[in-house]
Amino acid sequence: MIDIKNITKEYGDFVAVDHLSLKIEKGMCFGLLGPNGAGKTTLIKMLIGLLKPTSGEFLIAGEKMNRNNTKLKNKIGIVPQHINLDKDLSVKENLIFSTKLYKIPRNKTKQLIDDLLAFCELRSFEDRLTKNLSGGMKRKLMIAKALVNDPEVIFLDEPTVGIDLNARRKIWDMLKRMQDLGKTIIITTHYIEEADYLCDKIGLMDQGKIFHCDTSKNLKKQLGTYTIEYFNEHKNTEYKYFTLLEDAKKYAHSLNDNYLLRSLNLEDVFYNFANKKVK
Ligand SMILES: Nc1ncnc2c1ncn2[C@@H]1O[C@H](COP(=O)(O)OP(=O)(O)OP(=O)(O)O)[C@@H](O)[C@H]1O
Ligand SMILES: [Mg+2]
């Protein structure tokens, strides 16, 4: 569905995305994980036609994206990193506004908006002014807005930032339902458990490059199966990774009870990746 070939984006002398290649299959949920400034938003902005790559090219659904390719733009949905709602319009009016942008015929608008309100569980708030919504509701409305044109591919840049766990889980349910409808999803997040729960494949990105790209299971397997956390003599937390439980236990034995032995998780992979890059 998405085929990125060697794209680079430079801002002056600074390389934000660096000769990046990536393929994302149809129907897949692909997660981009990386520290602040890794280049995730820049990559997404290129894919949705908001920024022109400095070099390289990419295809979405077999087509080249550019500012004027409305046919391709109609196939994509966008949930940007920053809130893109009109705060002085109601929930419903925000959606009506989007249907006008996509020139959806008037006789289809009512049903579509009803369906979207049900999908994002905002029906009982349809007349509430957007400025009076909670953070979680705003994020849900942004997703509904991105679905107005029934896109094949949806880009979500940190869709659950700054909202509570309950609201985040509701959004995860929405994204799972979108996967069931066969949509291709590209999501960036700083919540590692979110990527672990939702994504078929995860790309670990830093300094404009994707360094590892695999399933969560395989990314974990590269590092091991068990993690031991312990305080070193400087009261800093250290992590050690093991494939075999008996090796982990042997190591733990030398730590005089001052440790936690647990299953290795995706956070370990990310932490190890980020720390290696710092060193
Ligand atoms: N318009 C711009 N001009 C110059 N530099 C920019 C511009 N936009 C982004 N950058 C720089 O490019 C790098 C990548 O930014 P980007 O927003 O893509 O990162 P990100 O991975 O989305 O980070 P975050 O997790 O904080 O959202 C950063 O160092 C940023 O300062
Ligand atoms: Mg970003």
Side-chain angles (χ1 to χ4, degrees):
M1 180 55 93
I2 298 179
D3 189 2
I4 303 170
K5 293 171 194 154
N6 213 20
I7 56 170
T8 292
K9 179 70 196 178
E10 292 167 6
Y11 296 114
D13 290 343
F14 182 75
V15 184
V17 172
D18 191 0
H19 297 92
L20 186 148
S21 297
L22 176 69
K23 280 192 170 113
I24 299 173
E25 289 151 37
K26 188 172 163 45
M28 177 184 275
C29 180
F30 185 87
L32 267 179
L33 277 179
N36 294 127
K40 305 178 296 295
T41 299
T42 302
L43 175 60
I44 288 193
K45 281 188 175 168
M46 287 191 280
L47 296 177
I48 63 178
L50 272 184
L51 278 178
K52 207 167 152 359
T54 309
S55 64
E57 57 179 30
F58 64 89
L59 298 174
I60 299 181
E63 284 194 51
K64 284 193 181 175
M65 173 60 88
N66 62 54
R67 249 173 215 281
N68 305 318
N69 190 344
T70 29
K71 188 174 151 235
L72 183 53
K73 285 195 167 175
N74 278 336
K75 290 186 188 171
I76 68 170
I78 303 157
V79 179
Q81 185 167 355
H82 301 291
I83 304 231
N84 65 340
L85 303 168
D86 190 326
K87 63 181 177 17
D88 294 316
L89 295 183
S90 70
V91 167
K92 200 170 172 180
E93 286 164 345
N94 260 293
L95 293 176
I96 292 172
F97 185 71
S98 286
T99 62
K100 292 198 169 138
L101 286 181
Y102 283 104
K103 300 191 172 68
I104 299 207
R106 278 191 114 175
N107 60 349
K108 293 203 172 140
T109 306
K110 191 181 172 315
Q111 184 63 51
L112 174 64
I113 288 176
D114 274 356
D115 291 347
L116 287 172
L117 287 170
F119 186 82
C120 64
E121 298 168 334
L122 285 176
R123 197 174 254 159
S124 39
F125 303 97
E126 62 178 47
D127 294 321
R128 188 178 284 193
L129 285 185
T130 305
K131 62 183 166 198
N132 298 330
L133 294 177
S134 71
M137 287 172 179
K138 282 183 191 152
R139 293 280 163 186
K140 285 203 264 184
L141 181 55
M142 283 169 70
I143 296 177
K145 201 172 131 136
L147 296 175
V148 157
N149 53 327
D150 191 23
E152 289 176 38
V153 188
I154 299 137
F155 296 91
L156 302 111
D157 197 354
E158 298 191 35
T160 63
V161 70
I163 62 175
D164 69 43
L165 191 64
N166 201 24
R168 199 182 312 155
R169 294 250 158 105
K170 295 264 181 213
I171 287 183
W172 292 1
D173 289 344
M174 284 174 74
L175 295 178
K176 284 277 184 199
R177 292 201 292 275
M178 278 155 56
Q179 277 177 280
D180 290 345
L181 294 170
K183 314 267 184 210
T184 307
I185 299 172
I186 293 92
I187 178 171
T188 79
T189 178
H190 286 288
Y191 300 112
I192 290 164
E193 75 279 20
E194 180 163 290
D196 203 2
Y197 180 72
L198 291 172
C199 299
D200 303 306
K201 245 187 186 180
I202 292 166
L204 295 180
M205 187 167 183
D206 198 14
Q207 296 170 10
K209 290 184 159 77
I210 292 183
F211 286 87
H212 298 286
C213 181
D214 213 328
T215 60
S216 168
K217 198 172 162 198
N218 285 342
L219 287 171
K220 286 181 223 168
K221 219 160 62 185
Q222 281 179 21
L223 201 57
T225 322
Y226 301 98
T227 301
I228 291 183
E229 287 180 29
Y230 65 98
F231 272 138
N232 65 17
E233 65 272 27
H234 308 295
K235 294 284 170 224
N236 290 322
T237 310
E238 294 258 3
Y239 300 85
K240 290 264 186 245
Y241 311 110
F242 302 87
T243 303
L244 298 174
L245 183 58
E246 57 177 301
D247 291 344
K249 281 185 173 167
K250 226 182 266 172
Y251 191 83
H253 199 65
S254 65
L255 294 172
N256 300 325
D257 283 345
N258 194 15
Y259 67 89
L260 171 70
L261 170 58
R262 57 168 172 78
S263 298
L264 190 143
N265 59 35
L266 192 60
E267 206 158 307
D268 292 316
V269 179
F270 186 74
Y271 181 79
N272 187 259
F273 163 74
N275 267 1
K276 269 197 189 149
K277 303 256 2 96
V278 171
K279 278 172 195 165

mmCIF file of all heavy atoms in Angstrom, residues 99-136:
data_model
loop_
_atom_site.group_PDB
_atom_site.id
_atom_site.type_symbol
_atom_site.label_atom_id
_atom_site.label_comp_id
_atom_site.label_asym_id
_atom_site.label_seq_id
_atom_site.Cartn_x
_atom_site.Cartn_y
_atom_site.Cartn_z
ATOM 1 N N THR A 99 -17.349 17.164 5.685
ATOM 2 C CA THR A 99 -18.065 16.551 4.543
ATOM 3 C C THR A 99 -18.112 17.540 3.378
ATOM 4 O O THR A 99 -18.074 17.153 2.216
ATOM 5 C CB THR A 99 -19.516 16.135 4.893
ATOM 6 O OG1 THR A 99 -20.258 17.283 5.256
ATOM 7 C CG2 THR A 99 -19.565 15.098 5.984
ATOM 8 N N LYS A 100 -18.160 18.844 3.712
ATOM 9 C CA LYS A 100 -18.188 19.861 2.635
ATOM 10 C C LYS A 100 -16.843 19.932 1.933
ATOM 11 O O LYS A 100 -16.772 20.063 0.713
ATOM 12 C CB LYS A 100 -18.580 21.214 3.213
ATOM 13 C CG LYS A 100 -20.035 21.191 3.664
ATOM 14 C CD LYS A 100 -20.631 22.550 3.844
ATOM 15 C CE LYS A 100 -22.130 22.387 4.022
ATOM 16 N NZ LYS A 100 -22.696 23.220 5.048
ATOM 17 N N LEU A 101 -15.773 19.826 2.727
ATOM 18 C CA LEU A 101 -14.429 19.864 2.119
ATOM 19 C C LEU A 101 -14.254 18.717 1.127
ATOM 20 O O LEU A 101 -13.611 18.872 0.099
ATOM 21 C CB LEU A 101 -13.351 19.745 3.205
ATOM 22 C CG LEU A 101 -13.096 20.967 4.081
ATOM 23 C CD1 LEU A 101 -11.985 20.667 5.070
ATOM 24 C CD2 LEU A 101 -12.732 22.169 3.226
ATOM 25 N N TYR A 102 -14.817 17.571 1.472
ATOM 26 C CA TYR A 102 -14.690 16.398 0.587
ATOM 27 C C TYR A 102 -15.830 16.315 -0.430
ATOM 28 O O TYR A 102 -15.947 15.320 -1.136
ATOM 29 C CB TYR A 102 -14.626 15.102 1.425
ATOM 30 C CG TYR A 102 -13.274 14.910 2.050
ATOM 31 C CD1 TYR A 102 -13.069 15.154 3.400
ATOM 32 C CD2 TYR A 102 -12.184 14.492 1.280
ATOM 33 C CE1 TYR A 102 -11.823 14.985 3.972
ATOM 34 C CE2 TYR A 102 -10.935 14.316 1.845
ATOM 35 C CZ TYR A 102 -10.758 14.565 3.194
ATOM 36 O OH TYR A 102 -9.525 14.395 3.752
ATOM 37 N N LYS A 103 -16.665 17.359 -0.455
ATOM 38 C CA LYS A 103 -17.775 17.429 -1.428
ATOM 39 C C LYS A 103 -18.664 16.179 -1.386
ATOM 40 O O LYS A 103 -19.039 15.606 -2.415
ATOM 41 C CB LYS A 103 -17.252 17.664 -2.843
ATOM 42 C CG LYS A 103 -16.464 18.953 -2.996
ATOM 43 C CD LYS A 103 -16.213 19.261 -4.468
ATOM 44 C CE LYS A 103 -15.610 20.616 -4.688
ATOM 45 N NZ LYS A 103 -14.255 20.792 -4.205
ATOM 46 N N ILE A 104 -18.987 15.740 -0.179
ATOM 47 C CA ILE A 104 -19.863 14.578 -0.020
ATOM 48 C C ILE A 104 -21.293 15.024 -0.319
ATOM 49 O O ILE A 104 -21.728 16.067 0.198
ATOM 50 C CB ILE A 104 -19.729 14.018 1.412
ATOM 51 C CG1 ILE A 104 -18.285 13.623 1.560
ATOM 52 C CG2 ILE A 104 -20.753 12.901 1.698
ATOM 53 C CD1 ILE A 104 -17.801 12.637 2.399
ATOM 54 N N PRO A 105 -22.013 14.291 -1.179
ATOM 55 C CA PRO A 105 -23.365 14.723 -1.553
ATOM 56 C C PRO A 105 -24.254 14.907 -0.315
ATOM 57 O O PRO A 105 -24.169 14.127 0.634
ATOM 58 C CB PRO A 105 -23.891 13.562 -2.417
ATOM 59 C CG PRO A 105 -22.711 12.742 -2.759
ATOM 60 C CD PRO A 105 -21.618 13.037 -1.801
ATOM 61 N N ARG A 106 -25.087 15.942 -0.366
ATOM 62 C CA ARG A 106 -25.910 16.308 0.802
ATOM 63 C C ARG A 106 -26.794 15.165 1.273
ATOM 64 O O ARG A 106 -26.996 14.989 2.465
ATOM 65 C CB ARG A 106 -26.791 17.512 0.451
ATOM 66 C CG ARG A 106 -26.020 18.813 0.596
ATOM 67 C CD ARG A 106 -26.950 19.956 0.513
ATOM 68 N NE ARG A 106 -27.008 20.659 1.796
ATOM 69 C CZ ARG A 106 -27.687 21.772 1.960
ATOM 70 N NH1 ARG A 106 -28.390 22.269 0.984
ATOM 71 N NH2 ARG A 106 -27.684 22.365 3.122
ATOM 72 N N ASN A 107 -27.339 14.384 0.329
ATOM 73 C CA ASN A 107 -28.263 13.310 0.733
ATOM 74 C C ASN A 107 -27.555 12.168 1.474
ATOM 75 O O ASN A 107 -28.197 11.305 2.046
ATOM 76 C CB ASN A 107 -29.043 12.780 -0.471
ATOM 77 C CG ASN A 107 -28.124 12.212 -1.539
ATOM 78 O OD1 ASN A 107 -26.911 12.391 -1.475
ATOM 79 N ND2 ASN A 107 -28.686 11.526 -2.515
ATOM 80 N N LYS A 108 -26.212 12.183 1.444
ATOM 81 C CA LYS A 108 -25.474 11.127 2.160
ATOM 82 C C LYS A 108 -24.925 11.624 3.498
ATOM 83 O O LYS A 108 -24.455 10.837 4.321
ATOM 84 C CB LYS A 108 -24.310 10.645 1.295
ATOM 85 C CG LYS A 108 -24.760 9.928 0.046
ATOM 86 C CD LYS A 108 -23.671 9.014 -0.477
ATOM 87 C CE LYS A 108 -24.215 8.161 -1.604
ATOM 88 N NZ LYS A 108 -23.269 8.001 -2.683
ATOM 89 N N THR A 109 -24.968 12.941 3.686
ATOM 90 C CA THR A 109 -24.292 13.536 4.843
ATOM 91 C C THR A 109 -24.881 13.061 6.172
ATOM 92 O O THR A 109 -24.143 12.708 7.085
ATOM 93 C CB THR A 109 -24.384 15.078 4.769
ATOM 94 O OG1 THR A 109 -23.882 15.460 3.515
ATOM 95 C CG2 THR A 109 -23.580 15.737 5.852
ATOM 96 N N LYS A 110 -26.212 13.052 6.271
ATOM 97 C CA LYS A 110 -26.844 12.751 7.570
ATOM 98 C C LYS A 110 -26.459 11.351 8.063
ATOM 99 O O LYS A 110 -26.014 11.187 9.190
ATOM 100 C CB LYS A 110 -28.364 12.886 7.457
ATOM 101 C CG LYS A 110 -29.013 12.846 8.828
ATOM 102 C CD LYS A 110 -30.510 12.951 8.762
ATOM 103 C CE LYS A 110 -31.165 12.715 10.113
ATOM 104 N NZ LYS A 110 -30.652 11.584 10.868
ATOM 105 N N GLN A 111 -26.613 10.375 7.167
ATOM 106 C CA GLN A 111 -26.298 8.993 7.547
ATOM 107 C C GLN A 111 -24.814 8.865 7.924
ATOM 108 O O GLN A 111 -24.453 8.234 8.920
ATOM 109 C CB GLN A 111 -26.635 8.052 6.377
ATOM 110 C CG GLN A 111 -26.449 6.583 6.685
ATOM 111 C CD GLN A 111 -27.390 6.110 7.790
ATOM 112 O OE1 GLN A 111 -28.585 6.345 7.723
ATOM 113 N NE2 GLN A 111 -26.828 5.481 8.824
ATOM 114 N N LEU A 112 -23.958 9.490 7.108
ATOM 115 C CA LEU A 112 -22.515 9.406 7.348
ATOM 116 C C LEU A 112 -22.172 9.973 8.729
ATOM 117 O O LEU A 112 -21.435 9.347 9.511
ATOM 118 C CB LEU A 112 -21.763 10.177 6.246
ATOM 119 C CG LEU A 112 -20.261 10.307 6.445
ATOM 120 C CD1 LEU A 112 -19.565 8.951 6.410
ATOM 121 C CD2 LEU A 112 -19.639 11.218 5.374
ATOM 122 N N ILE A 113 -22.745 11.137 9.042
ATOM 123 C CA ILE A 113 -22.415 11.762 10.323
ATOM 124 C C ILE A 113 -22.970 10.936 11.483
ATOM 125 O O ILE A 113 -22.297 10.752 12.506
ATOM 126 C CB ILE A 113 -22.885 13.231 10.344
ATOM 127 C CG1 ILE A 113 -21.949 13.996 9.411
ATOM 128 C CG2 ILE A 113 -22.859 13.821 11.748
ATOM 129 C CD1 ILE A 113 -22.248 15.415 9.200
ATOM 130 N N ASP A 114 -24.157 10.395 11.291
ATOM 131 C CA ASP A 114 -24.717 9.502 12.328
ATOM 132 C C ASP A 114 -23.777 8.321 12.575
ATOM 133 O O ASP A 114 -23.494 7.960 13.718
ATOM 134 C CB ASP A 114 -26.081 8.947 11.878
ATOM 135 C CG ASP A 114 -27.187 9.911 12.234
ATOM 136 O OD1 ASP A 114 -26.887 10.932 12.876
ATOM 137 O OD2 ASP A 114 -28.346 9.648 11.850
ATOM 138 N N ASP A 115 -23.302 7.728 11.476
ATOM 139 C CA ASP A 115 -22.407 6.569 11.602
ATOM 140 C C ASP A 115 -21.103 6.955 12.307
ATOM 141 O O ASP A 115 -20.611 6.227 13.167
ATOM 142 C CB ASP A 115 -22.063 5.984 10.220
ATOM 143 C CG ASP A 115 -23.275 5.330 9.571
ATOM 144 O OD1 ASP A 115 -24.270 5.116 10.285
ATOM 145 O OD2 ASP A 115 -23.225 5.062 8.353
ATOM 146 N N LEU A 116 -20.559 8.106 11.924
ATOM 147 C CA LEU A 116 -19.284 8.534 12.521
ATOM 148 C C LEU A 116 -19.453 8.858 14.007
ATOM 149 O O LEU A 116 -18.598 8.527 14.830
ATOM 150 C CB LEU A 116 -18.727 9.752 11.782
ATOM 151 C CG LEU A 116 -18.160 9.467 10.387
ATOM 152 C CD1 LEU A 116 -17.823 10.770 9.670
ATOM 153 C CD2 LEU A 116 -16.908 8.588 10.476
ATOM 154 N N LEU A 117 -20.588 9.494 14.340
ATOM 155 C CA LEU A 117 -20.843 9.819 15.753
ATOM 156 C C LEU A 117 -20.958 8.537 16.580
ATOM 157 O O LEU A 117 -20.477 8.462 17.709
ATOM 158 C CB LEU A 117 -22.120 10.658 15.889
ATOM 159 C CG LEU A 117 -21.992 12.113 15.429
ATOM 160 C CD1 LEU A 117 -23.366 12.779 15.368
ATOM 161 C CD2 LEU A 117 -21.068 12.909 16.350
ATOM 162 N N ALA A 118 -21.593 7.517 15.973
ATOM 163 C CA ALA A 118 -21.715 6.232 16.677
ATOM 164 C C ALA A 118 -20.346 5.582 16.802
ATOM 165 O O ALA A 118 -19.966 5.083 17.867
ATOM 166 C CB ALA A 118 -22.669 5.318 15.923
ATOM 167 N N PHE A 119 -19.575 5.626 15.701
ATOM 168 C CA PHE A 119 -18.256 4.992 15.679
ATOM 169 C C PHE A 119 -17.350 5.561 16.764
ATOM 170 O O PHE A 119 -16.623 4.830 17.436
ATOM 171 C CB PHE A 119 -17.622 5.189 14.288
ATOM 172 C CG PHE A 119 -16.334 4.456 14.110
ATOM 173 C CD1 PHE A 119 -16.328 3.108 13.788
ATOM 174 C CD2 PHE A 119 -15.115 5.102 14.263
ATOM 175 C CE1 PHE A 119 -15.134 2.413 13.622
ATOM 176 C CE2 PHE A 119 -13.919 4.413 14.098
ATOM 177 C CZ PHE A 119 -13.936 3.069 13.777
ATOM 178 N N CYS A 120 -17.403 6.888 16.936
ATOM 179 C CA CYS A 120 -16.489 7.486 17.928
ATOM 180 C C CYS A 120 -17.203 7.734 19.265
ATOM 181 O O CYS A 120 -16.651 8.406 20.132
ATOM 182 C CB CYS A 120 -15.829 8.743 17.382
ATOM 183 S SG CYS A 120 -16.960 10.051 17.026
ATOM 184 N N GLU A 121 -18.370 7.188 19.423
ATOM 185 C CA GLU A 121 -19.132 7.260 20.679
ATOM 186 C C GLU A 121 -19.327 8.698 21.151
ATOM 187 O O GLU A 121 -19.135 9.004 22.322
ATOM 188 C CB GLU A 121 -18.430 6.425 21.762
ATOM 189 C CG GLU A 121 -18.354 4.957 21.392
ATOM 190 C CD GLU A 121 -17.432 4.151 22.287
ATOM 191 O OE1 GLU A 121 -16.493 4.723 22.855
ATOM 192 O OE2 GLU A 121 -17.649 2.939 22.398
ATOM 193 N N LEU A 122 -19.673 9.580 20.205
ATOM 194 C CA LEU A 122 -19.894 10.981 20.566
ATOM 195 C C LEU A 122 -21.328 11.427 20.265
ATOM 196 O O LEU A 122 -21.616 12.618 20.291
ATOM 197 C CB LEU A 122 -18.898 11.884 19.821
ATOM 198 C CG LEU A 122 -17.462 11.883 20.332
ATOM 199 C CD1 LEU A 122 -16.567 12.739 19.451
ATOM 200 C CD2 LEU A 122 -17.368 12.381 21.776
ATOM 201 N N ARG A 123 -22.219 10.459 20.025
ATOM 202 C CA ARG A 123 -23.579 10.820 19.625
ATOM 203 C C ARG A 123 -24.265 11.697 20.686
ATOM 204 O O ARG A 123 -24.899 12.687 20.356
ATOM 205 C CB ARG A 123 -24.390 9.550 19.366
ATOM 206 C CG ARG A 123 -25.634 9.836 18.577
ATOM 207 C CD ARG A 123 -26.339 8.560 18.209
ATOM 208 N NE ARG A 123 -26.173 8.222 16.818
ATOM 209 C CZ ARG A 123 -26.324 7.001 16.339
ATOM 210 N NH1 ARG A 123 -26.607 6.011 17.131
ATOM 211 N NH2 ARG A 123 -26.178 6.772 15.055
ATOM 212 N N SER A 124 -24.061 11.347 21.940
ATOM 213 C CA SER A 124 -24.767 12.130 22.968
ATOM 214 C C SER A 124 -24.129 13.503 23.207
ATOM 215 O O SER A 124 -24.640 14.296 23.991
ATOM 216 C CB SER A 124 -24.864 11.344 24.273
ATOM 217 O OG SER A 124 -23.690 10.652 24.507
ATOM 218 N N PHE A 125 -23.003 13.755 22.511
ATOM 219 C CA PHE A 125 -22.359 15.072 22.669
ATOM 220 C C PHE A 125 -22.379 15.856 21.361
ATOM 221 O O PHE A 125 -21.648 16.814 21.208
ATOM 222 C CB PHE A 125 -20.904 14.895 23.123
ATOM 223 C CG PHE A 125 -20.783 14.122 24.396
ATOM 224 C CD1 PHE A 125 -20.509 12.760 24.370
ATOM 225 C CD2 PHE A 125 -20.963 14.748 25.620
ATOM 226 C CE1 PHE A 125 -20.411 12.032 25.547
ATOM 227 C CE2 PHE A 125 -20.868 14.034 26.802
ATOM 228 C CZ PHE A 125 -20.595 12.666 26.768
ATOM 229 N N GLU A 126 -23.233 15.436 20.423
ATOM 230 C CA GLU A 126 -23.141 16.003 19.069
ATOM 231 C C GLU A 126 -23.325 17.518 19.030
ATOM 232 O O GLU A 126 -22.783 18.184 18.165
ATOM 233 C CB GLU A 126 -24.116 15.309 18.114
ATOM 234 C CG GLU A 126 -25.583 15.467 18.496
ATOM 235 C CD GLU A 126 -26.501 14.786 17.487
ATOM 236 O OE1 GLU A 126 -26.225 13.637 17.117
ATOM 237 O OE2 GLU A 126 -27.483 15.431 17.092
ATOM 238 N N ASP A 127 -24.110 18.072 19.979
ATOM 239 C CA ASP A 127 -24.350 19.519 19.944
ATOM 240 C C ASP A 127 -23.418 20.301 20.865
ATOM 241 O O ASP A 127 -23.518 21.519 20.967
ATOM 242 C CB ASP A 127 -25.814 19.810 20.316
ATOM 243 C CG ASP A 127 -26.748 19.257 19.246
ATOM 244 O OD1 ASP A 127 -26.394 19.366 18.050
ATOM 245 O OD2 ASP A 127 -27.794 18.678 19.604
ATOM 246 N N ARG A 128 -22.515 19.600 21.519
ATOM 247 C CA ARG A 128 -21.612 20.301 22.442
ATOM 248 C C ARG A 128 -20.535 21.059 21.644
ATOM 249 O O ARG A 128 -19.997 20.538 20.664
ATOM 250 C CB ARG A 128 -20.948 19.314 23.395
ATOM 251 C CG ARG A 128 -20.175 20.029 24.486
ATOM 252 C CD ARG A 128 -19.551 19.084 25.447
ATOM 253 N NE ARG A 128 -20.513 18.512 26.393
ATOM 254 C CZ ARG A 128 -20.147 17.847 27.491
ATOM 255 N NH1 ARG A 128 -18.873 17.683 27.768
ATOM 256 N NH2 ARG A 128 -21.055 17.343 28.302
ATOM 257 N N LEU A 129 -20.250 22.286 22.087
ATOM 258 C CA LEU A 129 -19.190 23.045 21.416
ATOM 259 C C LEU A 129 -17.859 22.331 21.647
ATOM 260 O O LEU A 129 -17.581 21.844 22.749
ATOM 261 C CB LEU A 129 -19.098 24.461 21.978
ATOM 262 C CG LEU A 129 -20.191 25.452 21.557
ATOM 263 C CD1 LEU A 129 -19.883 26.838 22.112
ATOM 264 C CD2 LEU A 129 -20.308 25.525 20.026
ATOM 265 N N THR A 130 -17.059 22.292 20.614
ATOM 266 C CA THR A 130 -15.805 21.538 20.687
ATOM 267 C C THR A 130 -14.895 22.053 21.801
ATOM 268 O O THR A 130 -14.198 21.277 22.454
ATOM 269 C CB THR A 130 -15.116 21.597 19.312
ATOM 270 O OG1 THR A 130 -16.050 21.117 18.374
ATOM 271 C CG2 THR A 130 -13.872 20.768 19.258
ATOM 272 N N LYS A 131 -14.938 23.363 22.035
ATOM 273 C CA LYS A 131 -14.057 23.912 23.093
ATOM 274 C C LYS A 131 -14.439 23.384 24.470
ATOM 275 O O LYS A 131 -13.655 23.448 25.408
ATOM 276 C CB LYS A 131 -14.041 25.437 23.071
ATOM 277 C CG LYS A 131 -15.343 26.112 23.335
ATOM 278 C CD LYS A 131 -15.134 27.619 23.200
ATOM 279 C CE LYS A 131 -16.479 28.322 23.113
ATOM 280 N NZ LYS A 131 -16.376 29.650 22.570
ATOM 281 N N ASN A 132 -15.673 22.853 24.596
ATOM 282 C CA ASN A 132 -16.104 22.314 25.899
ATOM 283 C C ASN A 132 -15.959 20.793 26.008
ATOM 284 O O ASN A 132 -16.449 20.191 26.950
ATOM 285 C CB ASN A 132 -17.565 22.703 26.168
ATOM 286 C CG ASN A 132 -17.726 24.204 26.244
ATOM 287 O OD1 ASN A 132 -16.791 24.900 26.646
ATOM 288 N ND2 ASN A 132 -18.865 24.715 25.847
ATOM 289 N N LEU A 133 -15.275 20.192 25.056
ATOM 290 C CA LEU A 133 -15.059 18.735 25.123
ATOM 291 C C LEU A 133 -13.823 18.436 25.969
ATOM 292 O O LEU A 133 -12.897 19.254 26.052
ATOM 293 C CB LEU A 133 -14.801 18.164 23.724
ATOM 294 C CG LEU A 133 -15.919 18.207 22.686
ATOM 295 C CD1 LEU A 133 -15.400 17.640 21.355
ATOM 296 C CD2 LEU A 133 -17.136 17.415 23.146
ATOM 297 N N SER A 134 -13.786 17.230 26.532
ATOM 298 C CA SER A 134 -12.569 16.797 27.227
ATOM 299 C C SER A 134 -11.497 16.474 26.183
ATOM 300 O O SER A 134 -11.810 16.326 24.992
ATOM 301 C CB SER A 134 -12.859 15.542 28.050
ATOM 302 O OG SER A 134 -13.061 14.448 27.183
ATOM 303 N N GLY A 135 -10.264 16.329 26.655
ATOM 304 C CA GLY A 135 -9.163 16.009 25.738
ATOM 305 C C GLY A 135 -9.413 14.714 24.978
ATOM 306 O O GLY A 135 -9.168 14.628 23.767
ATOM 307 N N GLY A 136 -9.935 13.707 25.680
ATOM 308 C CA GLY A 136 -10.197 12.411 25.049
ATOM 309 C C GLY A 136 -11.258 12.518 23.965
ATOM 310 O O GLY A 136 -11.131 11.934 22.890
#
